[in-house]
Amino acid sequence: MNKLMLAIIALVSLAVGVILFYNKMFAKNVQRALHQTTDVKLPDLNDVVSAIIILCILAGFAFSMNLKEKQFRNHVGTCYKNEVSVEGLPDNYSICKNQYDNVIFSDQINVLKQIRFNYQPLMDKLTEERAAISTDYIDNLYYTLRQSRNTEEEEELYVLLAIYLNYFQTKQFDYIKGSGY
Amino acid sequence: MKKSRSLLLAGVLQVFAVGLLVYSLYTYFSVEFDARDNMWPFARYYLAMYKHELLFMFMSFITLVISIFLKNILQQEGGRALIIAEGYLIKAIIVVALISSLSAMHTVQYTNDFMAYLPISGFTILGCFALVILNTFVLIREIAFKMKRQIN
């Protein structure tokens, strides 16, 4: 709310500043014209007004798009069942079930960094050795591992990526199913 | 050639126009392409892209402001009309981006399905391409005008 108030105050002061500046410069230009010196070339006032209106619209959109992101994260990221177990998942990841009964990570925003930190050599090896299925790095790894998993580490990575992708679904999805309540 | 404000601003405008073109190409052919190709849920695309969309819109706005400042200081003949055309083009790009983001917000709220998203962000590429060509024309004419005046 504070940010919104600050934005409104900034926009209003910008508009008032432009009006005062144009008033002052108009008087100055009249004086210069009377003394037959070159006047200061200012942007057209109609353009400045339309630019301020466009800035207000963009600020409104920025606010609402940011709000939509927060709403979505609250919608799918809120845990409803905390005691969930998934076969093949390492212990150091905290998971739960959301309102769609999908298994998700409790800390979705930072989990990809953690996965990359722990499995980067395996990820590089898989990307190099197997033929690319998808242009996206994470999708490519997920689809590659869905086809075949030979080691325990690959199985772990597959489960982690599947849970990571579960987060974005707003329906019950069977990427991976956990048990327990 | 003497230092000139109009040339400097036209150059900065050209840099922003090329930046907009590159950015619109990047957003369309990297993430959106991946998202459609891999049938992402729409929310995944939205969370990855909304900040880029906002940045693109604010970059377009800065380009518009530069064109407004350039409008009255261009010295070439008929340059003002060309800059007015550029202004309309930039406003059209902003409107397309706004409609696209409105559609994105609606889709992420209700369906979360990529098929429901209005696929118009590609039009920003065409708009940016036209902007780059138009501004190159303005820049070359301004340089030609300055050189001609220097010779005379």
Side-chain angles (χ1 to χ4, degrees), chain A residues 70-84 93-109 163 167 180-181:
Chain A
K70 278 180 191 156
Q71 275 180 357
F72 183 80
R73 287 201 186 277
N74 277 338
H75 185 68
V76 296
T78 310
C79 292
Y80 279 75
K81 295 169 190 170
N82 282 318
E83 288 164 22
V84 182
Y93 293 91
S94 155
I95 55 168
C96 61
K97 276 191 174 183
N98 65 8
Q99 60 175 313
Y100 297 102
D101 222 24
N102 290 327
V103 180
I104 58 164
F105 288 111
S106 307
D107 181 20
Q108 173 78 10
I109 296 171
I163 296 173
Y167 180 82
Y181 296 95

Side-chain angles (χ1 to χ4, degrees), chain B residues 124-144:
Chain B
T124 55
I125 299 171
L126 296 177
C128 293
F129 195 61
L131 184 67
V132 169
I133 290 172
L134 198 59
N135 201 54
T136 310
F137 188 55
V138 171
L139 197 60
I140 290 169
R141 273 175 54 127
E142 190 69 11
I143 293 169

Side-chain angles (χ1 to χ4, degrees), chain A residues 41-44 47-48 50-51 54-55 57-59 61-62 64-66 68-69 71-73 134-136 138-139 143 165 167-170, chain B residues 33-34 37-38 40-41 43-44 46-47 50 53-54 57-58 61 64-65 68-69 71-73 80 91 94 98 101-102 105 108-109 111-112:
Chain A
K41 281 179 179 164
L42 288 171
D44 296 349
D47 286 335
V48 176
S50 66
I54 289 171
L55 181 64
I57 294 169
L58 289 186
F61 263 75
S64 52
M65 285 176 92
N66 205 11
K68 192 59 67 191
E69 187 234 356
Q71 275 180 357
F72 183 80
R73 287 201 186 277
S134 164
T135 46
D136 184 71
I138 297 294
D139 282 345
Y143 291 126
L165 294 176
Y167 180 82
F168 306 103
Q169 298 292 340
T170 50
Chain B
F33 190 86
D34 279 348
D37 193 35
N38 297 310
W40 285 10
R44 189 176 167 197
Y46 182 79
L47 295 182
Y50 88 99
E53 280 184 15
L54 278 176
M57 284 193 267
F58 278 102
F61 175 74
L64 180 68
V65 171
I68 287 170
F69 276 98
K71 193 169 158 187
N72 285 344
I73 58 168
R80 194 177 153 84
K91 280 174 197 160
I94 292 176
L98 284 176
S101 59
L102 205 61
M105 281 192 281
V108 83
Q109 172 82 31
T111 55
N112 198 14

